[in-house]
Amino acid sequence: MKILFIAPYIGATYGGTSKIVTELVEAIGCLGVSVDLVTTHANGSKNLDVPLNEWIHQKCYRVQYFDCWYRDDFIIAPSLISWLFKNVNNYDIVHSQTVFAPMISVAHSICKYFQIPYIVTPHGMLEPWALSYKAWKKRIYYKVFENPAIQNSSAIQATSSFELNNINSLKFQNTVFVPNGIRRQEFEPLSNPEIFYQQFPETRGKTLILFLGRIDPKKGLDLLAPAFAKVYNQFPHTHLVVAGPDNIGFMDKAQNYFLQADCLDAVTFTGMVSGALKYAALAAANLYVAPSYSEGFSISILEGMASGLPCIITTACNFPEAAKAEAAHVVEINVNAIANALIECLSNPQQATEMGDRARKFIFQNYTWDRAADKLIQVYKSVIDKKPLPEFLG
C-alpha cells in the first residue's frame, strides 16, 4: 500500500493544520505503510528554506516541496500540479488536506482523471462559521468546484463528532470519524518553564492564561479581550499570553480589542512559538483558553489538556467528549461564559487542578497519533479493497 498526502502548506505560520499533517504522515509511516507528502514552500511572509523538487527523507516518510505563488493562504503551485499529473499513478490512494484551495481542487480532478481514489480532510473548513466567513466567494467556489470534488471522494475524514454531523448535514456520503492526537512522549515529563520566562520576563511570577493559536478572526480574540478584562479586574495578578502567528495581517485589530477593553498592559503577544519554547509556554501556564467561533479539531487544545492545564473552550471547538469526561470547561460562545469559567477556575484552584489531571489522563488514553494512524490505515485498506468504510466511535 502506497499513500500520497498532498497539502498546500506545512509551514508553521499556518498553525495547527501544518502540525497535524506532518505528525499524521509520520505516524502512518512508522506503522509500516509507505507514505509520501507533497507540499509547497509557502510560510506566510517568508518561504521555507528547503530544497525544492527533490525527496527529503524524514522519520518514516518522504516529503517533497515545490515552488509556489501565494497571498496569505491562497496558494498556486504549477510545478506541484505538473508533478502530480506525472506521478499520481504510482500511488494506491491520495489523501488531500483542507478544502477551498485551488491546488487541492486541481489535485482532485487529476485523481478523478487517473481513477485514483482520494480521501478529503476539510480541517474544519466545512463548519458553519467557516462557510459563512466571506460567504459570497465560498458559495460560488463550493458549488462549482468543492461540492462535486468532495462528492466524488472515497472518504471524508471528520476529526470531531460535531464536524462529522455538520459534514453529514451537507448531504455528503462516506464520512469517517478519526480525531487528531498528540505524541505522549512530548508531555512526559512536562517541560521547564524557565525558557519561556527568560524570553518573556514580564510573565514571571504571574498567573498565566494561555491562548495558543493563530491570530485570526475565527479564534475569538474579540470575545477574549472583554472576558479577560473582567478576569483581570477581579484577579490583578493574572496575565494573558497570546501565542501564535499572524499570517493574514490581523494583529493590529486583535491588539486593539484588548486596548479597547483596557487590559492591553496585562497581555503579552509572543508571535509564533514552536518547539521547546511552545512546550515551555504550556509548562508556564496556569490556565488554557480557546474562545473560538469555529474549529476542526484543535491540536493546541489537546496539547493544553495533555499538559494538565485546566482548559476553557467554546462549544465551537467541537469537543463535547471533554465536557462529558469532566476534563474541560466547554462553554457557550460569548464573553460572559468565557469570563465566568476563567473566574471559576481561579476561584477554585484545587478543583481546577483536579480537572487538569483528568484532562491529561483523558488525552493520553484516547487521543494519540498512533491511534489516529491505525484508524486511517483501516480506512485506506477499505477504500483500496472496495469494502465498506469502518465505523469508528472516536
Side-chain angles (χ1 to χ4, degrees):
M1 181 165 55
K2 199 169 183 181
I3 311 300
L4 177 68
F5 270 61
I6 178 169
Y9 47 74
I10 58 170
T13 294
Y14 298 102
T17 298
S18 300
K19 183 175 177 61
I20 290 167
V21 173
T22 53
E23 294 282 10
L24 191 52
V25 170
E26 180 175 310
I28 291 169
C30 288
L31 290 179
V33 174
S34 176
V35 58
D36 291 336
L37 168 63
V38 290
T39 186
T40 72
H41 66 350
N43 191 35
S45 61
K46 188 177 181 180
N47 294 336
L48 294 174
D49 183 16
V50 292
L52 301 178
N53 307 310
E54 63 182 72
W55 288 116
I56 301 170
H57 290 268
Q58 305 286 3
K59 181 181 178 182
C60 302
Y61 73 97
R62 300 188 303 176
V63 58
Q64 189 166 176
Y65 295 90
F66 293 85
D67 187 25
C68 67
W69 177 92
Y70 61 97
R71 178 171 294 172
D72 298 331
D73 54 0
F74 180 85
I75 297 171
I76 299 174
S79 58
L80 192 159
I81 295 303
S82 177
W83 180 93
L84 189 64
F85 201 89
K86 296 174 184 176
N87 292 278
V88 72
N89 266 326
N90 297 328
Y91 297 90
D92 297 302
I93 196 165
V94 171
H95 192 160
S96 66
Q97 306 296 312
T98 201
V99 294
F100 292 108
M103 190 179 79
I104 298 298
S105 298
V106 175
H108 290 158
S109 297
I110 293 172
C111 290
K112 184 178 180 181
Y113 178 81
F114 286 102
Q115 297 184 320
I116 303 297
Y118 61 89
I119 291 175
V120 177
T121 302
H123 292 288
M125 293 301 293
L126 295 177
E127 293 296 281
W129 187 94
L131 288 173
S132 66
Y133 184 66
K134 299 181 179 178
W136 70 271
K137 292 182 181 179
K138 289 182 177 176
R139 192 177 298 115
I140 298 171
Y141 193 92
Y142 178 81
K143 183 176 181 179
V144 176
F145 298 105
E146 217 61 82
N147 185 281
I150 297 173
Q151 292 285 6
N152 191 63
S153 67
S154 297
I156 309 165
Q157 180 201 358
T159 55
S160 74
S161 55
F162 277 6
E163 186 182 28
L164 180 69
N165 292 335
N166 287 330
I167 292 173
N168 288 339
S169 72
L170 296 172
K171 309 301 181 185
F172 290 122
Q173 306 295 319
N174 301 326
T175 50
V176 293
F177 174 28
V178 181
N180 298 324
I182 51 96
R183 291 188 194 182
R184 181 170 180 158
Q185 61 268 30
E186 292 180 344
F187 300 90
E188 291 184 322
L190 294 175
S191 296
N192 186 340
E194 187 60 29
I195 299 172
F196 185 78
Y197 294 142
Q198 288 179 359
Q199 187 151 340
F200 303 100
E202 72 275 17
T203 67
R204 189 185 296 273
K206 300 290 187 179
T207 299
L208 299 183
I209 301 171
L210 176 65
F211 166 94
L212 183 60
R214 286 182 296 121
I215 311 303
D216 186 279
K218 79 172 187 176
K219 296 296 185 177
L221 290 170
D222 60 326
L223 302 176
L224 182 56
F228 175 65
K230 290 187 175 189
V231 173
Y232 184 58
N233 286 337
Q234 190 167 335
F235 296 90
H237 202 249
T238 55
H239 192 91
L240 177 66
V241 175
V242 178
D246 173 28
N247 62 299
I248 63 168
F250 195 68
M251 179 65 79
D252 287 346
K253 194 166 186 177
Q255 290 178 330
N256 193 51
Y257 293 145
F258 294 93
L259 181 64
Q260 291 178 343
D262 197 27
C263 60
L264 184 59
D265 290 345
V267 183
T268 293
F269 286 83
T270 67
M272 180 72 195
V273 294
S274 60
L277 183 59
K278 180 183 74 173
Y279 294 114
L282 287 162
N286 302 95
L287 296 172
Y288 174 100
V289 62
S292 297
Y293 289 105
S294 177
E295 291 285 349
F297 191 57
S298 169
I299 290 296
S300 68
I301 291 173
L302 297 182
E303 291 175 336
M305 295 174 71
S307 299
L309 294 177
C311 294
I312 292 85
I313 65 178
T314 63
T315 54
C317 293
N318 294 335
F319 205 2
E321 295 84 356
K324 187 176 180 180
E326 298 182 336
H329 282 296
V330 180
V331 302
E332 295 299 319
I333 311 168
N334 64 67
V335 171
N336 287 335
I338 296 165
N340 291 342
L342 288 167
I343 289 169
E344 181 179 342
C345 286
L346 292 166
S347 301
N348 301 280
Q350 182 58 39
Q351 293 178 15
T353 297
E354 291 171 358
M355 184 174 69
D357 291 341
R358 287 193 299 271
R360 185 173 166 84
K361 293 175 183 176
F362 176 66
I363 297 303
F364 286 170
Q365 290 172 359
N366 299 286
Y367 297 92
T368 64
W369 286 122
D370 289 343
R371 287 174 62 90
D374 181 69
K375 290 178 179 181
L376 276 174
I377 290 170
Q378 293 179 53
V379 173
Y380 299 151
K381 288 179 178 177
S382 296
V383 169
I384 293 168
D385 295 338
K386 298 182 179 179
K387 293 182 178 180
L389 295 172
E391 295 185 6
F392 299 126
L393 299 178

